[in-house]
Amino acid sequence: MKVLIVGAGFTGAVIARELANNGHVCHIIDQRDHIAGNCYTQRDKDTNIMEHIYGPHIFHTSDEEVWEYINNFGEFYPYINRVKTTYNGEVYSLPINLHTINQFYKKSFSPSQAKKWIEQIADNKIEEPKNFEEQALKFIGKDLYEAFFKGYTKKQWGCDPKKLPASILKRLPVRFNYDDNYFSHKYQGIPKDGYTSIIEKILEHENIKVQINTSFYKDMIKDYDHIVWTGKLDEWFDYSEGHLGYRTLDFIKYTEEGDYQGTAVMNYGNEKVPYTRISEHKYFTPWEKHEKTIYFKEYSRECGVDDIPYYPIRLVDDKTILEKYLQKAEREKNVTFAGRLGTYSYMDMDVTIKEALTLSKNILKKLDRI
Ligand code: UDP
């Protein structure tokens, strides 16, 4: 069968590969001038540092199938994401751990003392947190919430944390020990040759044809047995039910001699600092040596129709609109909606790959029935 896949990020590439392995002919197009979507990496011309063009990506998973799958397409070097945050001129460790708590409250608590302390200051009246702010108040209390989450989250999402789902905060752990690994997954790493090379290898198959700089037009549909759409869900339906909200990011790049901040990611909790974080990319490849450095100030703002969408916001209004699009999507029998944008969900790379593998099985069954 002939399948058109729109979007050459992780989702599109994995689905193309799975269908191609099963004898189907896949044509994958992307409107940008490169593959790999927002995971795109390339070496900076001036410094040769591996640059994550659309912001830092650290691969982490506890899923054996996904880890095995991705390792077929490139070598991963071990990398532990350790994030720092600056608040009122002091640097703290994230995610909130015993070091953060002791430094913030000028204490030297043991794990059990810290736990007791946090239980006392947390808001115990909240039983079922209904939003991001309630979730934070219940788990860490007002002081830590206001220092590390309130301002950052306002900048990142452009709205009051009371309007955001509690699930966003549930991404981050609170630890009563000195473990400052940002993630809790079994496997964590960064590809030695960057993500573009991984996706290139996934797409390297005689049944896959890749075309970049190519936009999708509805009259392409007639030439294919099935379409996989990894673009924005609302865009497929020409925004007929309204626009789903996304955040986009702007990165301001700086190049300097030596070292800028001594770590890969520094967050900024104060609302009045206009950027959310600064990432210094040579720290994502600690096995390489570089005399110069590149770093990026990251600014978040509302995503316009022509901007690159990064994060689905998923406020109450968005969810109402999403329901309508999902019903419409259900009726499109020859189209599969996939990925962060195609399903309007906040997925990490490993979940994206897992979902793409599952969807591929469904598509294969569908193609068998045609
Ligand atoms: N967050 C925060 N302060 C921080 C880091 C994260 O308030 O210093 C909040 C913010 O709302 C963010 C969410 O926690 O969107 C999830 O953080 P994560 O690091 O998982 O976000 P991502 O790396 O996907 O942008």
Side-chain angles (χ1 to χ4, degrees), residues 66-112:
V66 168
W67 185 239
E68 204 176 299
Y69 182 88
I70 191 107
N71 274 278
N72 288 326
F73 301 103
E75 191 178 352
F76 276 76
Y77 278 4
Y79 180 86
I80 303 288
N81 192 26
R82 300 188 199 281
V83 178
K84 305 280 181 255
T85 184
T86 297
Y87 177 70
N88 283 354
E90 273 198 69
V91 177
Y92 298 89
S93 166
L94 282 185
I96 291 184
N97 61 68
L98 195 47
H99 206 156
T100 327
I101 297 166
N102 277 334
Q103 186 188 355
F104 191 80
Y105 289 107
K106 300 196 171 24
K107 302 282 186 196
S108 49
F109 287 141
S110 69
S112 57

Side-chain angles (χ1 to χ4, degrees), residues 6 13 24 80 136 155 187 209 215 231 246 276 278 295 309 316 365:
V6 187
H24 299 290
I80 303 288
K155 292 188 283 185
Y187 303 109
K209 185 176 135 200
S215 296
Y246 297 90
T276 51
I278 300 181
Y295 62 93
V316 178
K365 277 189 210 145

Side-chain angles (χ1 to χ4, degrees), residues 7 23 37 60 65 86 101 146 182 201 218 233 250 282 290 295 300 320 350:
H60 54 100
E65 184 195 16
T86 297
I101 297 166
E146 288 187 350
Y182 201 69
K201 296 218 169 68
K218 284 269 159 81
L233 180 62
D250 295 317
K282 70 177 172 183
H290 297 280
Y295 62 93
S300 170
T320 315
D350 62 327

